[in-house]
């Protein structure tokens, strides 16, 4: 009996020791060679990571208060871990980037922040309708600024 097996993925005939052992598999070996297994595992992990992340972020969008409460609770229970994670340059850069994006797109959390700062309304008692109104206001403000800028420019040019 030859000590080789053909991998079902890459189709290459390889010696037995290129296949990981599996109790259920044909001949006690996996049907894919170690290399292919590693690749599919990596792919699977990347895909499921994407999936998990998008699920988590959509949950966060739907449950902002719950998310904030969760983060707060975790922070209180793990102050050292929190400091280690958040007091780094990379984390600061990430925060700055997220903030810039939120500001640019007028995401709820940015609008909420504006309301909190200006009107001093506690975050968890801001109704969605108020967020929408504030967003409109911010948009108008930006538009006015743009128009003003354009007007000034044309004045300078003439
Ligand atoms: Zn293979």
């Amino acid at each position: 009996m030859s000590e080789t097996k053909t991998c079902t993925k890459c189709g290459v005939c390889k010696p037995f020791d290129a296949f990981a052992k599996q109790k259920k598999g044909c001949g006690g070996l996996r049907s894919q060679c170690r290399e292919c297994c590693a690749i599919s595992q990596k792919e699977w992990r990347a895909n499921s990571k994407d999936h998990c992340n998008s699920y988590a972020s959509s949950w966060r969008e739907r449950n902002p208060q719950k998310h904030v409460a969760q983060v707060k609770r975790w922070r209180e229970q793990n102050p050292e871990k929190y400091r280690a994670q958040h007091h780094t340059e990379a984390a600061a850069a990430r925060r700055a980037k997220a903030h810039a994006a939120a500001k640019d797109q007028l995401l709820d959390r940015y609008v909420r922040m504006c309301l909190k700062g200006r009107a001093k309304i506690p975050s968890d008692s801001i109704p969605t309708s108020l967020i929408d109104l504030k967003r409109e206001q911010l948009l108008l403000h930006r538009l006015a600024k743009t128009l003003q800028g354009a007007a000034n420019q044309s004045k300078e040019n003439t």
Side-chain angles (χ1 to χ4, degrees):
M1 198 180 118
S2 72
E3 300 239 308
T4 58
K5 182 179 159 94
T6 307
C7 166
T8 55
K9 196 171 184 189
C10 61
V12 177
C13 195
K14 294 185 173 183
F16 274 5
D17 58 7
F19 293 86
K21 288 197 173 64
Q22 190 183 39
K23 282 195 185 114
K24 281 185 291 181
C26 172
L29 295 172
R30 282 181 178 273
S31 55
Q32 293 179 6
C33 68
R34 285 178 203 273
E35 262 173 68
C36 289
C37 277
I39 293 167
S40 14
Q41 221 164 54
K42 213 170 164 184
E43 275 169 8
W44 180 83
R45 228 177 289 140
N47 286 339
S48 61
K49 198 173 158 196
D50 263 16
H51 177 76
C52 290
N53 280 347
S54 70
Y55 175 80
S57 67
S58 72
W59 181 87
R60 281 200 294 270
E61 291 288 319
R62 276 181 284 117
N63 305 284
Q65 277 99 342
K66 273 191 199 167
H67 171 65
V68 169
Q70 240 180 24
V71 171
K72 206 177 155 198
R73 202 166 50 230
W74 182 86
R75 192 190 304 172
E76 280 164 7
Q77 283 164 0
N78 307 278
E80 287 88 33
K81 275 190 199 166
Y82 174 76
R83 263 196 296 277
Q85 261 183 28
H86 289 258
H87 290 212
T88 61
E89 269 177 51
R94 212 162 40 230
R95 263 203 308 277
K97 204 176 149 194
H99 178 74
K103 190 175 174 182
D104 195 48
Q105 294 159 36
L106 290 177
L107 296 182
D108 275 12
R109 66 169 181 276
Y110 175 76
V111 179
R112 206 183 282 274
M113 213 176 63
C114 292
L115 280 166
K116 236 166 80 181
R118 290 278 169 82
K120 306 250 183 276
I121 306 170
S123 172
D124 40 355
S125 51
I126 301 174
T128 352
S129 54
L130 188 57
I131 293 179
D132 289 339
L133 276 172
K134 181 72 186 174
R135 185 182 287 117
E136 296 273 306
Q137 192 208 347
L138 288 166
L139 272 173
L140 269 174
H141 189 70
R142 282 183 190 182
L143 186 67
K145 258 193 167 167
T146 315
L147 290 172
Q148 216 171 38
N152 285 343
Q153 200 133 50
S154 68
K155 232 187 278 169
E156 278 168 25
N157 289 343
T158 48

